[in-house]
Amino acid sequence: MKFKYEIGTKILFGERCILDNPTELTAYGKRAMIVTGSNSGKLSGALDDTISVLVTAGIEYSIFSDIQNNPDLENINEAGKAARSFKPDFIIGIGGGSPLDASKAVAVLAVNELEPVELFKNVFKNTPLPIIAIPTTAGTGSEVTPYSILTRRDINTKMSFGNVDTFPKVAFMDPRYTESLPPEVTINTAVDALSHAIEGYLSKRSTPISDIYAVEAINIFGDCIKSLIKNKFNFELREKLLYMAMLGGMVIAHTGTTIVHGMGYSLTYFKGIPHGRANGILMKEYLKYNYDHAKEKIENILKALKMKNIFEFGDIMDLLINNDLKLSKVELELYASLAIKQRSASYNIREVTEEDMIRIMKDSTK
Ligand code: NAP
Ligand code: FE
């Protein structure tokens, strides 16, 4: 056994976790910059809770609420400029993966006069500001990972940066904040979390500890499938999904993702398919592709999901997410050429080629 285990994030999980632990939010200075999306902060109730704690503690704050879905470097640049002018002591990200990932970039740019493209060098003269993460979706696990995934229009893809200093210092995880999510986003983001657990479990970089988290996350997803299909989202289900997504994040914090995410980025970038749904579309063929190379682990996944075989997995995915994907030969070749360049492609348990990726994507279309 040989592994490294580190999670730089203190997790406070449960109803009212911000209101009941105000000093955990106010311990990082006198000026806070809140980074959020146009609706997620307000609709979830997380913004109000955060502001009430900041006001009581006499902390000055400014809000940047223009983070787009799948934020690009221009969007990040604007947020970075706003941060340099406000000069905060710490950054509070509120929202789904998009605002949380953006908050990590802002934490770097607030104290480093950089072009956003230089974020990907991953070495920063000044240590990024402390980040507090408040998720309002149950999917990306960004609250417990160092990764920030940004859209790069210069090279037509999404790319991640992050190092030990971009782990959020604290994650406040209140399932109530996910109650305002529309059914489709609830399901797409849950499928993203499942994809983290499965890809991490089947990654060459998986560790004994990450495997425990992965199987537990997959188990919990298995318990939630019926309710997800019926769109029955009570508090208990929200709680389970948020916990599962956190476990998925803890998995990829150690293993990274692999080819599902690598190929899925093109489905989002070129076709506008939401991130989790993009992963869900590809997952059945990904499992088939890897089956002979990871039989025992894939059987464990199916068992945890209470499914008989990969075909049943595909049927359930079809019920959960809308897959009407069609790709031309030119699109398949382009997407595979981009995905093979992602470092994460080398972490797949089976040595993967561009031709393999073309086949997986082609077999995933309708
Ligand atoms: P998202 O892009 O953050 O949000 C999707 C939509 O849901 C947005 O319209 C958002 O509104 C809305 N929303 C969020 N919370 C809501 C709430 N409580 N009530 C009502 N609406 C709400 O979606 P996501 O799937 O969570 O994040 C996707 C991003 O995360 C992608 O860029 C992906 O690449 C990245 N990601 C990161 C990691 C990581 O480790 N860091 C892992 C996987 C994926 P607003 O527009 O108002 O925000
Ligand atoms: Fe993801």
Side-chain angles (χ1 to χ4, degrees):
M1 268 197 215
K2 230 180 176 185
F3 62 84
K4 181 175 158 196
Y5 180 80
E6 183 177 3
I7 283 275
T9 306
K10 181 191 279 190
I11 297 164
L12 292 153
F13 191 103
E15 221 176 327
R16 288 182 53 90
C17 57
I18 295 182
L19 300 173
D20 291 347
N21 299 279
T23 51
E24 299 283 357
L25 180 69
T26 56
Y28 293 91
K30 282 278 146 215
R31 288 170 78 78
M33 174 144 177
I34 298 172
V35 176
T36 186
S38 47
N39 299 306
S40 44
K42 286 190 213 92
L43 286 180
S44 62
L47 187 60
D48 280 350
D49 285 356
T50 301
I51 290 175
S52 87
V53 166
L54 294 177
V55 168
T56 306
I59 292 181
E60 276 188 58
Y61 65 90
S62 123
I63 307 179
F64 186 93
S65 61
D66 284 332
I67 298 299
Q68 307 155 350
N69 293 358
N70 309 296
D72 63 17
L73 298 188
E74 226 171 87
N75 192 210
I76 291 303
N77 199 26
E78 274 174 51
K81 273 194 208 154
R84 283 196 293 273
S85 110
F86 181 69
K87 298 196 177 21
D89 299 321
F90 63 110
I91 306 293
I92 304 174
I94 303 179
S98 297
L100 296 191
D101 287 5
S103 70
K104 296 172 186 174
V106 172
V108 177
L109 296 177
V111 287
N112 292 281
E113 187 90 39
L114 294 178
E115 286 301 319
V117 73
E118 294 175 276
L119 289 168
F120 300 96
K121 288 186 190 158
N122 251 344
V123 183
F124 313 116
K125 186 162 160 262
N126 300 313
T127 309
L129 294 179
I131 301 153
I132 309 280
I134 307 175
T136 66
T137 62
T140 70
S142 179
E143 64 278 5
V144 290
T145 76
Y147 313 126
S148 170
I149 296 160
L150 305 174
T151 296
R152 288 195 56 171
R153 303 206 184 277
D154 54 333
I155 51 171
N156 287 336
T157 189
K158 297 180 75 177
M159 195 182 259
S160 78
F161 84 88
N163 65 24
V164 73
D165 294 322
T166 53
F167 264 112
K169 291 277 179 279
V170 186
F172 287 97
M173 309 190 61
D174 187 333
R176 291 179 310 160
Y177 299 152
T178 63
E179 286 179 325
S180 53
L181 282 172
E184 206 180 294
V185 184
T186 302
I187 293 172
N188 290 342
T189 47
V191 168
D192 184 29
L194 175 70
S195 174
H196 298 155
I198 291 183
E199 284 174 80
Y201 188 49
L202 300 181
S203 164
K204 278 186 191 159
R205 298 170 71 201
S206 80
T207 73
I209 298 181
S210 70
D211 283 357
I212 292 172
Y213 294 153
V215 173
E216 180 61 1
I218 298 165
N219 246 314
I220 297 172
F221 187 91
D223 290 342
C224 296
I225 290 175
K226 278 200 189 109
S227 306
L228 288 172
I229 291 173
K230 288 190 206 145
N231 284 3
K232 277 177 97 180
F233 311 122
N234 57 19
F235 180 79
E236 200 192 326
L237 185 90
R238 296 285 182 197
E239 202 169 49
K240 278 187 184 169
L241 292 176
L242 191 62
Y243 178 63
M244 177 208 58
M246 179 202 77
L247 292 175
M250 288 163 79
V251 172
I252 57 168
H254 293 95
T255 63
T257 52
T258 64
I259 58 174
V260 173
H261 271 67
M263 294 184 288
Y265 290 154
S266 279
L267 301 188
T268 300
Y269 185 85
F270 293 104
K271 298 282 185 190
I273 298 175
H275 173 68
R277 173 133 63 92
N279 295 337
I281 287 173
L282 298 163
M283 237 185 302
K284 174 181 129 197
E285 293 303 325
Y286 157 82
L287 289 176
K288 277 168 67 185
Y289 173 75
N290 283 305
Y291 188 78
D292 287 338
H293 296 255
K295 227 179 231 170
E296 199 184 324
K297 280 195 159 180
I298 294 181
E299 286 300 334
N300 288 344
I301 291 170
L302 294 168
K303 200 164 114 201
L305 291 170
K306 297 137 199 98
M307 292 175 187
K308 286 191 288 296
N309 52 42
I310 297 177
F311 295 99
E312 187 180 351
F313 179 94
D315 293 343
I316 300 281
M317 276 300 139
D318 281 345
L319 287 176
L320 286 172
I321 54 164
N322 169 29
N323 176 8
D324 51 6
L325 181 67
K326 292 195 172 52
L327 297 173
S328 68
K329 189 165 176 285
V330 174
E331 287 170 326
L332 285 166
E333 286 171 1
L334 172 63
Y335 300 0
S337 72
L338 291 166
I340 201 79
K341 284 194 210 122
Q342 298 270 353
R343 195 173 354 122
S344 57
S346 65
Y347 305 146
N348 191 62
I349 200 145
R350 173 175 173 185
E351 211 64 46
V352 64
T353 66
E354 221 167 307
E355 289 66 37
D356 295 338
M357 287 183 162
I358 291 177
R359 211 179 58 243
I360 294 170
M361 285 189 283
K362 187 160 185 282
D363 292 345
S364 301
T365 58
K366 285 287 156 184

